[in-house]
Amino acid sequence: MTNITIKAKPLAALLVAVGLSGCGGDVNTNSDFTSVNPSQPVSDWKLVWSDDFTGTSIDRRKWTFEIDCRGGGNQEKQCYTDSPENAFVSDGTLKIVAKPAPEGSPLPYTSARLNTKYQGDWKYGRIEVRAKAPSGQGSWPAIWMMPTDEVYGGWPKSGEIDIFEAVNLKTVDAEGNVEAKVYGTLHYGREWPNNSNSGKAYTLPNGANPADSFNTYAIEWQEGEIRWYVNDYLYQTQQASRVRTNSRGELIGLSHRGWFAEYFNQVTGKLETQWNAAPFDQRFYLILNLAVGGNWPENVNNLGIDAEAFANGQTFEVDWVRVYECQANPINGKGCETIRAGYLDSETLVTGQAPIPSPPSTGVPQNLTIFDGTPNPNWAAWDCCGGSTPSLVQDETRGQVYEFVVGPQPTVNGFITRSAFITDPAGTPSPFDASPLIERGSLSFDMQVVSPPSNPASTWLVKVESNENTTFVELPITASSEGVAPVTGQWQSYTFPLSMLDAAGLDLSAIDVVMIFPAWDTGNGAVYRVTNMKIAQPAQFPELVMFNNGANPDWPMWDCCGGSTPLEVLDEELNTLTAEFSVGAAPTVLGFFNRAPLGGGNAFDASALLADGVVQFAVKVVDAPANPNSTWMFKIEAAGGDSAVELPLSVGNAGQAPVTGQWTTYTFSLQSLFDAGLDISAIDVLMVFPAWDTGAGAVFRMHDVRIFNPNANNDQLTIFRDAVNADWTLWDCCAGSVPKVVDAEAPYGKVAQFEILGWPETVLGFLAKEDMAFDATALLANGSVSFDMRVVSPPANTASSWFFKIESSGAATAVELPLAAGNNGQAPVTGEWQRYRFSLQSLFDAGLDISDINVLMVFPAWGTGLGAVYQIDNVEISNN
């Protein structure tokens, strides 16, 4: 006896399919199947296997009986037998009959299941079965295929192709609805119970029922695509998933979400996901069967099994089975497609269940504010299923907050960044890459329960989803770092470390839903408020500003020993306040002092800046020391003076000592100070002074005194601000003009000016120099392309419209949009400066390879721009 592969069918997934009625049979095809003669090949399809059931018995050279009482893995109520009462040939058709079993049988019904395993299997082709379905509550006929060799693993990892299924045909429910749908489905993916399936239902036109007459059910199967037909009408197409890659060849998403395979790579031994033709790239055999009852038919329509419908048996009748091979290319099955216009439209092309690969993490930590009193247009407040609309309300202590309500209908509430739920015109889906924050970051929010659920046993939950629910984590709210349950009427804070969410199985690289809710179907009556929801970590690169246009009160200006009072003085050259120090007759040192009680007493921890951080400031000597041999010194101390480093000031500027009357910037790397013995975790004094007892008469000023990481914000790109970036050029594609930099006066100053005064068929903008394309991957979550623009003279063609276009190198990818899309639908107004912003997420979703941006254009529609003069400024790709 051959081993039987369990065939499971999750109920919910099968029931989402919607019947297509009134589609008709008007199909333009490349092959005429109405004239197929089994003995003669058609022009492009060759008949390679068939059974017309013309004899008096079932051909055992083609068909094998499966004999078992396992219930098909679906709790079915029949035993499969090889009895001629359950399967026989007569009058030119195969009859598979389901009937009551003899008393004492293991299950209440008997039926038959036939397969062609080891006698007929195929990889690609057209498989046709002409059949008349049985009827009645509990009936479940099927025409389907399973893999001969399970090369990718057991069901469903090696795939299943359901050509035709129907349940409970002709049953009539209380509302008078007659069951008439047929289904085509694929099964694939991970092991049960995490398996996946996708498919579609079809309803015959003109009220016809599959149980009333014979119909031809078929698939055409080629590499990467399977199409389903009823009476030659193509009603469903499914395809393998297609991945998107960036310029580095890294997976960044799917251009089509179809089927997928997950299996162990025999070379590496690792579990891998494949977005290609697998598992439907192997040989499959055919199965014909009639089941009675089971998880699917017993839970829909009129429920259960209608014993009267089976009292005299139900028959699944098959006229013929035919298998064709495409002669154009038998290897991949392509070249014989029977298609119609629109066979890949949204009504026909099925979206599969493949996991969406997360874009590779940039490794750059960025914080996300989902809501802190001001709605984030990319993250909508959301009621999943209860029909309410979360509202902004004024809270006495927290200002604007979101209020959520749970009614009788079970639901979950929270915030979501998926396109179907974003209603703000400025919003775009923006899954958040929190993976660089895993060590120190957290999800946090504040919540107040206004009214608790009426069910006192209800508990509060937090759920986070990633990548269209490819992964998720659901936790009790008490699992937060605070470990507290909500107390009605109190604002409480909740913090969930990202490391905990990661350990629980969440993919941190594409978080797109955060929910807070009473446990499902227990929350009726709950009203609660939420604010301050963030996914963030403490500043990765702390920065200390001791003086910049004014003193930091925690770091007052200081004369150690000379008795002077340092002053804040307006420097005319800089037009800003500076710190001015004077040295009298008494020896002294001067600078900025943090120790209490004079200073704030909160020493600065620069440990996180060690690799790239600097101590930096500008110095101008107003009056030099009277002693010409005096040298200028720099000293920095930590931990109350337990550690200190003193160096000639000139060390901070390639040996250049201060020049009287000139501002000079000095920079000391934290690494060099650490190596010299400074405890950089507790810096509390910074000094600049003429060498001890040599500085009498000196007056000097300091400005922009900071300890910081100068590379902390180097991921953004300014293409034009007062001048074009050295790595980019102003560019006229096709008309031969030379864009120029002109003075637009305050507040814009120098701007880029573009003119179309000759040949009108052109586009203009900014072009990166060779090999200088910009990688904006690190900015995907919150970044945008933005610029200011003013139309000086509009195109002479009053019907002209303005466009924005952005491309990657070689125009490998490009996105073109109406310019107004970047300003809430507002088109340019002549003479007015307007700000335009296009989120990187929206451009990425539209197909742009953001890792390789090298052209940015703004222009009137092609061939309509003659006479246009316009100016652009502040062009940047950044998080602004």
Side-chain angles (χ1 to χ4, degrees):
M1 182 186 299
T2 57
N3 292 326
I4 307 301
T5 301
I6 294 175
K7 175 172 179 269
K9 205 163 292 291
L11 178 65
L14 285 163
L15 299 183
V16 299
V18 178
L20 299 177
S21 61
C23 294
D26 184 11
V27 183
N28 294 321
T29 65
N30 298 328
S31 308
D32 182 5
F33 292 102
T34 63
S35 60
V36 171
N37 183 336
S39 64
Q40 297 292 328
V42 294
S43 58
D44 43 7
W45 289 108
K46 177 184 178 182
L47 186 71
V48 294
W49 193 95
S50 66
D51 195 338
D52 291 306
F53 305 110
T54 55
T56 59
S57 62
I58 294 171
D59 189 343
R60 296 297 186 108
R61 296 168 300 175
K62 296 180 178 179
W63 299 98
T64 296
F65 282 86
E66 299 181 21
I67 303 173
D68 64 69
C69 295
R70 301 177 186 176
N74 303 294
Q75 306 299 314
E76 298 160 15
K77 302 304 188 293
Q78 81 290 319
C79 288
Y80 287 128
T81 80
D82 60 356
S83 167
E85 292 187 1
N86 293 119
F88 58 91
V89 170
S90 66
D91 300 324
T93 64
L94 167 70
K95 281 85 171 177
I96 298 176
V97 182
K99 56 192 302 184
E103 186 175 349
S105 298
L107 292 172
Y109 296 93
T110 60
S111 188
R113 181 156 119 173
L114 286 68
N115 72 58
T116 66
K117 190 174 185 180
Y118 304 128
Q119 300 178 103
D121 59 2
W122 308 274
K123 174 183 173 181
Y124 309 137
R126 178 177 171 100
I127 295 92
E128 293 181 342
V129 179
R130 185 162 180 81
K132 179 182 177 183
S135 62
Q137 179 70 38
S139 61
W140 184 2
I143 304 166
W144 50 298
M145 303 182 77
M146 290 290 287
T148 303
D149 304 303
E150 295 182 331
V151 298
Y152 301 116
W155 187 90
K157 296 170 76 68
S158 292
E160 173 185 328
I161 305 171
D162 296 337
I163 300 172
F164 156 86
E165 290 182 285
V167 296
N168 308 333
L169 289 172
K170 302 186 77 172
T171 59
V172 182
D173 64 17
E175 286 75 38
N177 300 307
V178 179
E179 179 58 65
K181 293 186 288 292
V182 299
Y183 296 84
T185 310
L186 294 180
H187 297 260
Y188 48 85
R190 302 184 174 102
E191 293 181 353
W192 184 89
N194 298 314
N195 48 298
S196 300
N197 62 73
S198 49
K200 197 173 184 66
Y202 175 75
T203 302
L204 291 167
N206 303 318
N209 195 290
D212 286 335
S213 60
F214 284 92
N215 295 278
T216 301
Y217 305 100
I219 61 166
E220 286 183 359
W221 170 26
Q222 64 192 48
E223 184 179 30
E225 182 172 297
I226 303 175
R227 301 177 295 276
W228 279 256
Y229 304 80
V230 176
N231 299 328
D232 289 339
Y233 180 77
L234 194 168
Y235 77 91
Q236 174 186 188
T237 304
Q238 294 202 52
Q239 294 183 333
S241 299
R242 293 187 295 277
V243 298
R244 288 178 59 188
T245 59
N246 62 18
S247 59
R248 297 184 294 275
E250 298 168 325
L251 297 183
I252 58 174
L254 297 179
S255 57
H256 171 68
R257 189 180 188 186
W259 70 67
F260 74 103
E262 181 183 273
Y263 54 87
F264 282 96
N265 184 312
Q266 294 184 354
V267 175
T268 65
K270 295 181 179 180
L271 188 65
E272 295 182 353
T273 297
Q274 297 292 328
W275 294 273
N276 51 32
F280 303 108
D281 60 350
Q282 304 295 321
R283 300 186 75 82
F284 278 62
Y285 63 91
L286 190 64
I287 305 171
L288 305 175
N289 74 282
L290 171 55
V292 182
N295 296 337
W296 183 12
E298 290 188 58
N299 287 285
V300 296
N301 301 109
N302 295 331
L303 306 181
I305 299 171
D306 181 2
E308 292 185 7
F310 289 89
N312 298 315
Q314 281 291 335
T315 300
F316 183 24
E317 190 170 2
V318 181
D319 190 1
W320 43 257
V321 178
R322 296 170 185 168
V323 180
Y324 299 89
E325 182 181 84
C326 179
Q327 293 301 285
N329 196 329
I331 302 300
N332 59 27
K334 298 179 180 180
C336 302
E337 293 87 344
T338 309
I339 58 176
R340 58 173 174 78
Y343 90 104
L344 294 179
D345 62 19
S346 59
E347 290 296 320
T348 308
L349 180 62
V350 171
T351 298
Q353 297 298 315
I356 302 172
S358 299
S361 174
T362 65
V364 178
Q366 299 180 69
N367 293 341
L368 169 68
T369 298
I370 295 175
F371 177 76
D372 65 351
T374 301
N376 182 335
N378 300 331
W379 283 80
W382 170 67
D383 177 341
C384 149
C385 322
S388 74
T389 301
S391 57
L392 283 170
V393 300
Q394 191 71 20
D395 184 86
E396 291 181 0
T397 61
R398 300 301 179 101
Q400 276 208 129
V401 300
Y402 264 112
E403 185 169 273
F404 299 94
V405 176
V406 182
Q409 184 71 24
T411 193
V412 294
N413 297 291
F415 297 88
I416 189 166
T417 183
R418 293 178 187 161
S419 58
F421 304 100
I422 295 175
T423 57
D424 191 319
T428 56
S430 303
F432 181 65
D433 179 10
S435 57
L437 310 179
I438 184 171
E439 292 185 4
R440 301 166 58 235
S442 61
L443 164 69
S444 61
F445 57 88
D446 298 335
M447 184 177 83
Q448 180 196 55
V449 175
V450 178
S451 300
S454 55
N455 183 339
S458 180
T459 58
W460 288 84
L461 301 174
V462 173
K463 187 175 183 181
V464 186
E465 296 181 358
S466 179
N467 215 356
E468 299 284 345
N469 202 26
T470 299
T471 66
F472 69 88
V473 169
E474 182 173 307
L475 298 168
I477 202 167
T478 52
S480 68
S481 299
E482 295 79 6
V484 296
V487 177
T488 302
Q490 292 185 13
W491 277 103
Q492 295 167 277
S493 297
Y494 299 91
T495 305
F496 295 84
L498 292 174
S499 57
M500 179 174 71
L501 301 180
D502 173 74
L506 183 69
D507 175 3
L508 297 179
S509 67
I511 295 173
D512 55 8
V513 180
V514 179
M515 293 169 273
I516 310 161
F517 54 95
W520 184 260
D521 204 16
T522 70
N524 187 18
V527 179
Y528 53 106
R529 295 177 174 182
V530 175
T531 190
N532 199 29
M533 178 173 281
K534 298 178 180 179
I535 302 175
Q537 68 175 11
Q540 186 71 28
F541 298 112
E543 179 175 350
L544 170 64
V545 178
M546 297 182 191
F547 193 101
N548 185 21
N549 197 29
N552 179 338
D554 284 345
W555 285 79
M557 299 176 290
W558 173 66
D559 180 340
C560 152
C561 319
S564 74
T565 301
L567 303 172
E568 290 185 359
V569 176
L570 181 66
D571 186 271
E572 294 181 356
E573 180 182 349
L574 298 180
N575 193 31
T576 188
L577 289 175
T578 61
E580 185 173 282
F581 302 90
S582 301
V583 182
T588 193
V589 293
L590 308 103
F592 301 88
F593 193 84
N594 177 258
R595 297 172 194 158
L598 179 62
N602 50 344
F604 181 64
D605 183 358
S607 304
L609 303 174
L610 179 60
D612 299 306
V614 297
V615 178
Q616 188 177 82
F617 48 85
V619 173
K620 180 172 77 171
V621 175
V622 179
D623 295 317
N627 184 339
N629 296 319
S630 179
T631 56
W632 287 86
M633 306 299 293
F634 162 74
K635 188 174 184 180
I636 188 167
E637 295 182 358
D642 288 346
S643 70
V645 173
E646 182 173 325
L647 298 166
L649 184 59
S650 59
V651 170
N653 191 359
Q656 181 179 339
V659 177
T660 301
Q662 293 184 7
W663 281 102
T664 305
T665 298
Y666 294 89
T667 304
F668 298 84
S669 76
L670 283 167
Q671 186 69 59
S672 67
L673 299 174
F674 175 83
D675 293 342
L678 183 69
D679 176 5
I680 64 170
S681 71
I683 297 171
D684 56 11
V685 179
L686 184 151
M687 295 169 275
V688 173
F689 52 93
W692 183 261
D693 204 16
T694 68
V699 178
F700 63 100
R701 295 175 180 175
M702 295 182 68
H703 169 62
D704 200 19
V705 185
R706 293 191 293 163
I707 303 176
F708 70 111
N709 181 350
N711 300 316
N713 297 309
N714 65 350
D715 294 306
Q716 68 181 29
L717 170 69
T718 299
I719 297 175
F720 189 97
R721 181 175 290 119
D722 296 323
V724 69
N725 185 299
D727 295 329
W728 288 65
T729 60
L730 304 179
W731 177 65
D732 179 340
C733 147
C734 317
S737 75
V738 179
K740 53 194 175 185
V741 178
V742 301
D743 191 347
E745 300 181 348
Y748 286 90
K750 300 295 180 62
V751 300
Q753 181 163 299
F754 302 91
E755 302 175 350
I756 306 177
L757 303 178
W759 187 251
E761 295 183 348
T762 191
V763 293
L764 308 100
F766 304 87
L767 174 68
K769 295 179 180 178
E770 187 173 359
D771 298 326
M772 298 308 299
F774 180 64
D775 181 357
T777 307
L779 304 171
L780 177 60
N782 300 302
S784 64
V785 179
S786 59
F787 52 89
D788 296 312
M789 177 180 147
R790 174 173 67 176
V791 175
V792 179
S793 300
N797 184 338
T798 56
S800 180
S801 54
W802 289 85
F803 287 90
F804 164 79
K805 188 172 185 181
I806 188 167
E807 297 179 354
S808 60
S809 294
T813 65
V815 174
E816 182 174 317
L817 298 167
L819 183 60
N823 188 16
N824 298 313
Q826 183 174 346
V829 177
T830 301
E832 293 185 8
W833 281 101
Q834 294 167 282
R835 185 73 173 165
Y836 296 91
R837 177 184 178 275
F838 299 86
S839 76
L840 285 168
Q841 186 69 55
S842 67
L843 299 175
F844 172 84
D845 292 342
L848 182 68
D849 178 359
I850 65 168
S851 73
D852 188 36
I853 297 171
N854 84 327
V855 179
L856 187 154
M857 294 167 274
V858 179
F859 53 92
W862 184 262
T864 70
L866 189 64
V869 178
Y870 52 105
Q871 298 170 342
I872 298 178
D873 195 14
N874 300 324
V875 185
E876 59 185 32
I877 304 176
S878 67
N879 273 324
N880 293 335

